[in-house]
Amino acid sequence: MSDTTILIADDQAMVRAGFAAILDAQDGLHVIGQAADGAEAVKLGRALRPDVVLMDVRMPILNGIEATRELTTPSHGDPYTPLVMVLTTFDIDEYVHDALRAGASGFLLKDATPEDLVQAVRIVASGDALIAPRVMKRLIESFTAGPGPAPARRAVELNGLTDREREVLVLVGTGLSNTEIAATLFISEQTVKTHVSKIFSKLHLRDRVQAVVLAYDTGLVEPAR
């Protein structure tokens, strides 16, 4: 199996160097570039084609949100897009939900332990971007607090789902794991995985984080009051 290649984008040189040292020390992980601002992140991302980009939200020239949107949008017929892990200082960052809607696969707190950093990169690289329950709760509160796409307009995207798939998407939207969904619906975990895979395929979703965003955007799941 080839190494997971990583691009680190952060305006603080010490942060970039620290993350690079941690990740390069791991088997199967290889940092191939570092960017000091969003514009450089987009340029290097297109040139180096990393598997994963660690993207700081607040950077000069081009912020992490816009850089994420550019990198996760295929350009000129090129299907390549990296998986983006957004880096933020606080677990409630007013820009986090915007970054996820821009195409990010998840986010990581900058005060995470080296072990958490490595695990997060591996999870995102696998395409199964799970977020810790505490962070997921704060994340949901964050992006549902602000305005999003009109629910009626986005709800059209759900028309191709079966009733069971809608039911599973609701539970994914509340942050439940496959194991918890299986217990809730009294079905096997493998059956849940099959439903989740079909949901992702039908709705063109990359991971569970995007599924959570869609569930709230369409009004399928509503924030607790």
Side-chain angles (χ1 to χ4, degrees):
M1 181 180 295
S2 60
D3 285 358
T4 294
T5 56
I6 304 159
L7 171 67
I8 300 173
D10 193 290
D11 60 347
Q12 298 182 49
M14 290 287 286
V15 171
R16 296 196 304 273
F19 283 172
I22 292 168
L23 296 171
D24 271 332
Q26 305 300 313
D27 291 338
L29 301 181
H30 179 46
V31 176
I32 59 173
Q34 298 183 33
D37 58 66
E40 187 178 16
V42 173
K43 181 180 179 180
L44 289 179
R46 295 295 186 203
L48 301 177
R49 302 170 77 88
D51 298 313
V52 176
V53 177
L54 294 182
M55 181 81 73
D56 188 21
V57 172
R58 297 169 179 171
M59 290 188 292
I61 304 179
L62 188 69
N63 66 40
I65 297 170
E66 293 305 320
T68 295
R69 183 174 292 112
E70 289 197 27
L71 282 174
T72 58
T73 301
S75 61
H76 308 297
D78 183 357
Y80 163 78
T81 57
L83 296 165
V84 178
M85 173 68 77
V86 173
L87 300 170
T88 180
T89 305
F90 306 104
D91 58 350
I92 301 183
D93 188 312
E94 64 268 31
Y95 300 119
V96 167
H97 68 282
D98 292 333
L100 292 173
R101 285 192 172 111
S105 292
F107 78 98
L108 180 70
L109 304 183
K110 282 189 176 181
D111 63 358
T113 65
E115 293 77 13
D116 287 342
L117 171 64
V118 171
Q119 181 183 36
V121 170
R122 293 193 190 282
I123 288 174
V124 169
S126 75
D128 189 18
L130 296 176
I131 296 179
R134 176 182 69 87
V135 178
M136 177 66 83
K137 180 177 183 294
R138 303 292 285 273
L139 171 61
I140 289 172
E141 291 173 352
S142 175
F143 73 65
T144 56
R153 185 168 67 250
R154 291 217 67 185
V156 174
E157 300 177 41
L158 304 178
N159 288 343
L161 299 183
T162 65
D163 289 343
R164 177 60 95 183
E165 288 165 354
R166 281 175 175 260
E167 195 172 13
V168 170
L169 180 56
V170 168
L171 296 177
V172 170
T174 61
L176 297 189
S177 67
N178 286 350
T179 301
E180 292 168 330
I181 293 172
T184 300
L185 298 180
F186 301 102
I187 58 179
S188 72
E189 189 171 347
Q190 183 57 51
T191 298
V192 174
K193 290 180 180 178
T194 299
H195 286 313
V196 170
S197 178
K198 288 182 178 178
I199 290 168
F200 286 4
S201 177
K202 288 181 178 181
L203 300 180
H204 308 290
L205 302 174
R206 182 183 294 119
D207 52 50
R208 297 175 85 90
V209 175
Q210 292 187 346
V212 171
V213 174
L214 179 67
Y216 277 87
D217 279 350
T218 58
L220 196 62
V221 175
E222 296 184 358
R225 300 299 181 186

